[in-house]
Amino acid sequence: LYDIELRLDQETAELKESLIDIRNAQQQRIVDQIIGGKAIQNVTVPDKKVMFDLLIKTFKSEYKISRKEVVDEMQRQIPGKRLAGNVVNSTEIFKIIEEELGLKVEGVSNKLRAQVATEALNLKKKGLAGAELKSQLLEVLKNKLTDGSWATLASTSINQAWGTGRKAGMEAHADNI
């Protein structure tokens, strides 16, 4: 179990780091839109698809690994017996997960947009504009934005994939249990 926990923690940390890199690029591009004169209500969050694709790729990979772990564990418990697996349709599972992760990507992206926009408006009310606005905005964001939403997204994605994969592995071999 320690090996599994260590792997999950490592994969969560790597995914979190990748998500934060995407967030930082998104933040910079949102700031650039605002500084460039785009009305705050018209500011868009870039790279949501990049984030979504990363989450889906990671989910599917972790799902396959955890599903295989269950089969390997069962095989060790019944040495010499070849396990006959039932077919588990993962297509439906993946469709639901894609919808859920898409919703979560929209949520963190909208939150980021709102945070950047709110701070920009606060600084504009103080009379800041141009390079001074950009400099102050980036400093405020550096101090106020946390990694919490991104850490939660990474952890939830990895743990959900692990649990879903293990469940599918057990369902595939339920007749052998």
Side-chain angles (χ1 to χ4, degrees), residues 68-127:
K68 183 181 180 320
E69 284 174 348
V70 166
V71 174
D72 291 348
E73 287 171 22
M74 292 173 71
Q75 190 65 61
R76 281 192 300 274
Q77 292 173 14
I78 311 171
K81 180 179 179 185
R82 181 169 167 82
L83 298 176
N86 301 321
V87 176
V88 174
N89 184 357
S90 56
T91 303
E92 192 61 34
I93 293 168
F94 290 151
K95 279 175 58 177
I96 293 168
I97 293 302
E98 284 178 2
E99 289 179 8
E100 184 177 352
L101 290 176
L103 187 60
K104 288 179 180 181
V105 165
E106 286 297 322
V108 295
S109 297
N110 289 338
K111 181 178 178 182
L112 176 64
R113 179 182 170 268
Q115 289 173 317
V116 174
T118 299
E119 296 304 332
L121 281 173
N122 289 340
L123 293 170
K124 283 182 174 185
K125 288 176 185 176
K126 293 179 180 178

Side-chain angles (χ1 to χ4, degrees), residues 15-175:
L15 180 57
K16 175 187 166 191
E17 186 176 312
S18 295
L19 290 172
I20 289 172
D21 287 345
I22 294 168
R23 184 226 32 215
N24 291 342
Q26 288 175 323
Q27 175 185 310
Q28 183 63 50
R29 291 178 59 197
I30 292 168
V31 168
D32 289 344
Q33 290 176 63
I34 292 169
I35 300 304
K38 194 168 200 177
I40 287 180
Q41 66 272 17
N42 296 327
V43 169
T44 59
V45 180
D47 298 330
K48 290 189 285 189
K49 177 142 176 46
V50 172
M51 188 186 319
F52 174 79
D53 290 345
L54 173 64
L55 288 168
I56 291 296
K57 177 183 171 192
T58 303
F59 182 92
K60 288 181 178 181
S61 173
E62 184 57 41
Y63 173 91
K64 288 175 187 173
I65 291 168
S66 62
R67 183 175 171 171
K68 183 181 180 320
E69 284 174 348
V70 166
V71 174
D72 291 348
E73 287 171 22
M74 292 173 71
Q75 190 65 61
R76 281 192 300 274
Q77 292 173 14
I78 311 171
K81 180 179 179 185
R82 181 169 167 82
L83 298 176
N86 301 321
V87 176
V88 174
N89 184 357
S90 56
T91 303
E92 192 61 34
I93 293 168
F94 290 151
K95 279 175 58 177
I96 293 168
I97 293 302
E98 284 178 2
E99 289 179 8
E100 184 177 352
L101 290 176
L103 187 60
K104 288 179 180 181
V105 165
E106 286 297 322
V108 295
S109 297
N110 289 338
K111 181 178 178 182
L112 176 64
R113 179 182 170 268
Q115 289 173 317
V116 174
T118 299
E119 296 304 332
L121 281 173
N122 289 340
L123 293 170
K124 283 182 174 185
K125 288 176 185 176
K126 293 179 180 178
L128 297 178
E132 187 179 10
L133 172 61
K134 183 175 184 175
S135 171
Q136 289 294 315
L137 181 56
L138 291 173
E139 188 63 30
V140 167
L141 293 172
K142 185 172 96 177
N143 293 324
K144 285 195 174 184
L145 291 184
T146 68
D147 297 342
S149 296
W150 310 93
T152 300
L153 183 57
S155 178
T156 301
S157 183
I158 294 290
N159 289 319
Q160 186 176 26
W162 183 77
T164 304
R166 289 188 64 82
K167 182 179 178 211
M170 285 187 266
E171 288 174 357
H173 297 284
D175 295 341

